[in-house]
């Protein structure tokens, strides 16, 4: 396994603004397709409440759904995603744009693997 070309720091309070900007541009209605699905809602609850013993299938199901939404709207969120990745990593937007495709995708996935699901649980509290 090769060494990652990037490092992602833990999320902090100031990141909420860039995350919010990204989510807004992504489209709340697109995210509702994830949170409105009862099977995915169960997966989200399991991931949120799973602690250290999270079922990898549940985590994978949630990540797959979210990544699917991101891919569907990738061209619309290019700038916001670049700003977000730059702000939480050791790379500039230009360096991020020049990453090999596999490394770029892994960087995005690593960012969303962090425990930011609480943001969505607050937004969609009634769906849980």
């Amino acid at each position: 396994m090769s060494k990652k070309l990037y490092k992602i720091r833990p999320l902090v309070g100031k990141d909420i603004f860039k995350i919010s900007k990204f989510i807004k541009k992504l489209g709340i209605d697109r995210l509702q397709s994830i949170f409105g699905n009862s099977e995915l809602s169960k997966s989200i609850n399991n991931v949120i409440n799973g602690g250290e013993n999270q079922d990898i299938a549940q985590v994978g199901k949630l990540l797959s759904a979210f990544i699917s939404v991101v891919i569907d709207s990738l061209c619309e969120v290019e700038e916001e995603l670049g700003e977000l990745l730059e702000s939480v990593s050791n790379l500039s937007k230009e360096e991020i744009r020049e990453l090999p495709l596999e490394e770029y995708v892994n960087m995005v996935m690593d960012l969303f693997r962090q425990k930011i699901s609480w943001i969505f649980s607050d937004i969609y509290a009634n769906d849980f």
Side-chain angles (χ1 to χ4, degrees):
M1 181 180 222
S2 64
K3 185 179 179 210
K4 292 180 181 180
L5 302 173
Y6 61 88
K7 292 179 185 171
I8 295 182
R9 65 166 171 73
L11 297 174
V12 296
K14 68 180 181 178
D15 296 325
I16 192 71
F17 302 104
K18 290 199 185 303
I19 292 168
S20 296
K21 185 176 177 183
F22 172 76
I23 290 170
K24 180 178 179 183
K25 187 76 175 229
L26 188 61
I28 295 297
D29 57 328
R30 291 178 179 147
L31 293 175
Q32 285 175 330
S33 68
I34 293 174
F35 296 101
N37 179 309
S38 62
E39 184 177 333
L40 284 175
S41 291
K42 288 178 187 175
S43 295
I44 293 166
N45 280 329
N46 289 338
V47 169
I48 291 170
N49 299 319
E52 295 299 317
N53 298 319
Q54 294 179 358
D55 179 359
I56 192 67
Q58 298 291 330
V59 174
K61 195 180 297 185
L62 176 58
L63 282 175
S64 295
F66 189 74
I67 289 169
S68 173
V69 169
V70 171
I71 289 171
D72 286 347
S73 59
L74 204 53
C75 64
E76 296 171 28
V77 297
E78 178 182 3
E79 188 63 30
E80 289 77 8
L81 183 56
E83 288 174 9
L84 179 58
L85 290 171
E86 178 182 48
S87 73
V88 300
S89 76
N90 60 321
L91 301 178
S92 69
K93 281 195 279 189
E94 291 74 28
E95 291 171 317
I96 293 167
R97 285 185 188 126
E98 296 300 321
L99 285 172
L101 183 58
E102 182 178 1
E103 188 83 2
Y104 183 87
V105 171
N106 286 335
M107 185 179 191
V108 172
M109 290 176 61
D110 285 348
L111 173 65
F112 289 104
R113 280 188 186 117
Q114 290 196 39
K115 294 204 176 214
I116 63 170
S117 55
W118 59 267
I119 294 170
F120 302 116
S121 66
D122 286 347
I123 292 171
Y124 296 102
N126 295 330
D127 291 337
F128 297 119

